Amino acid sequence: MSLQFTDEEFRNAWRELDEPQLEEGWKLFTETMGVKIYRLQDKETGLYEYKVFGVLSTCTAELCADVYMDLAYRKHWDTYVKELYEKDFNGQTSIYWEVKYPFPLSNRDYVYVRERRDLEVDGRKIWVILARSAPQTPCAEKSGVLRVKDYKQSVALESDGGCGTKVFMNYFDNPGGMIPTWLVNWAASSGVPGFLTDMQKACSNYSNFCQKK
């Protein structure tokens, strides 16, 4: 089943590996652990969209893509996951994801669709994964959990020419409610590099996980 993503959306994601598109107000937010994070403020909401550029030095691009797509495995290594599964909701295959937020904030949950394509571009192998919220999916909201209805993410992965992976990530979500600015800034400046570090560690342990299945 097609998940409503266009060839152009995939092309726009992998092109950022070659030429980061940072015109029209993108500003460098932070650089840490070899990861550069840029952000662009949405004038309507005041929220930020982010672009992340970095390298995972110890895992291949294909392995990164496999680990990123494996929802069962993510529940083992991502400590912020409360619930995560793929399900057919009346003919619409979507992913349900509940994220733990620090007390006293309510957890957030997402219902989204995604698609992965393994591309060959002029002899290069590039892996691209696109995701976005699917508010039309008939998945009931939970009491005490805020539903994120505006979410998008794209990831492009390619070999860095050695044993590692060049990574581009673009994401935006509107978590709703009153989120303190310090938490938003922490999530972007520390949470994202931390996620990439955790993912690199997860890649190194993936074969063990697969053998135990």
Side-chain angles (χ1 to χ4, degrees):
M1 176 181 134
S2 170
L3 293 179
Q4 314 117 356
F5 297 101
T6 65
D7 292 345
E8 184 179 10
E9 287 176 288
F10 279 93
R11 195 161 47 245
N12 288 343
W14 68 255
R15 278 180 172 162
E16 298 262 6
L17 291 168
D18 295 336
E19 295 180 21
Q21 303 298 304
L22 298 169
E23 302 81 16
E24 300 175 2
W26 286 93
K27 293 187 173 134
L28 181 64
F29 173 52
T30 187
E31 184 172 358
T32 178
M33 295 156 52
V35 177
K36 284 186 178 180
I37 302 175
Y38 295 83
R39 68 182 185 179
L40 176 69
Q41 189 167 36
D42 181 272
K43 291 185 172 57
E44 283 183 30
T45 62
L47 298 168
Y48 288 96
E49 179 177 349
Y50 295 91
K51 287 186 177 181
V52 181
F53 301 87
V55 172
L56 298 180
S57 58
T58 62
C59 44
T60 66
E62 184 172 18
L63 177 59
C64 286
D66 290 344
V67 167
Y68 190 85
M69 291 292 288
D70 193 326
L71 302 181
Y73 185 42
R74 183 158 177 175
K75 287 188 275 191
H76 285 261
W77 63 266
D78 186 344
T79 57
Y80 295 100
V81 170
K82 174 81 183 290
E83 258 190 277
L84 182 61
Y85 56 84
E86 192 167 48
K87 183 179 171 182
D88 187 302
F89 295 91
N90 291 351
Q92 168 74 63
T93 300
S94 300
I95 293 165
Y96 176 83
W97 176 32
E98 183 180 342
V99 179
K100 298 174 191 171
Y101 266 57
F103 180 83
L105 300 172
S106 300
N107 285 357
R108 269 36 177 195
D109 67 4
Y110 300 71
V111 179
Y112 67 96
V113 292
R114 69 174 180 178
E115 184 179 350
R116 166 180 165 173
R117 290 190 193 173
D118 301 354
L119 305 172
E120 286 215 17
V121 182
D122 298 329
R124 298 159 60 191
K125 286 194 167 183
I126 304 175
W127 289 260
V128 180
I129 302 153
L130 303 182
R132 68 164 155 253
S133 49
Q136 73 282 3
T137 302
C139 175
E141 296 187 25
K142 288 183 182 178
S143 174
V145 179
L146 287 179
R147 174 67 48 87
V148 176
K149 292 175 179 162
D150 190 4
Y151 160 73
K152 69 172 184 179
Q153 185 168 46
S154 57
V155 178
L157 306 161
E158 181 183 27
S159 170
D160 67 352
C163 302
T165 300
K166 282 173 68 178
V167 178
F168 163 71
M169 186 185 296
N170 175 213
Y171 69 97
F172 173 83
D173 71 13
N174 183 347
M178 297 298 292
I179 305 285
T181 304
W182 68 263
L183 181 58
V184 173
N185 288 340
W186 173 86
S189 62
S190 302
V192 172
F195 171 79
L196 292 176
T197 300
D198 289 347
M199 189 167 156
Q200 190 158 254
K201 196 184 300 178
C203 286
S204 67
N205 295 327
Y206 190 47
S207 61
N208 291 337
F209 172 79
C210 291
Q211 284 168 9
K212 288 175 184 171
K213 280 204 291 190

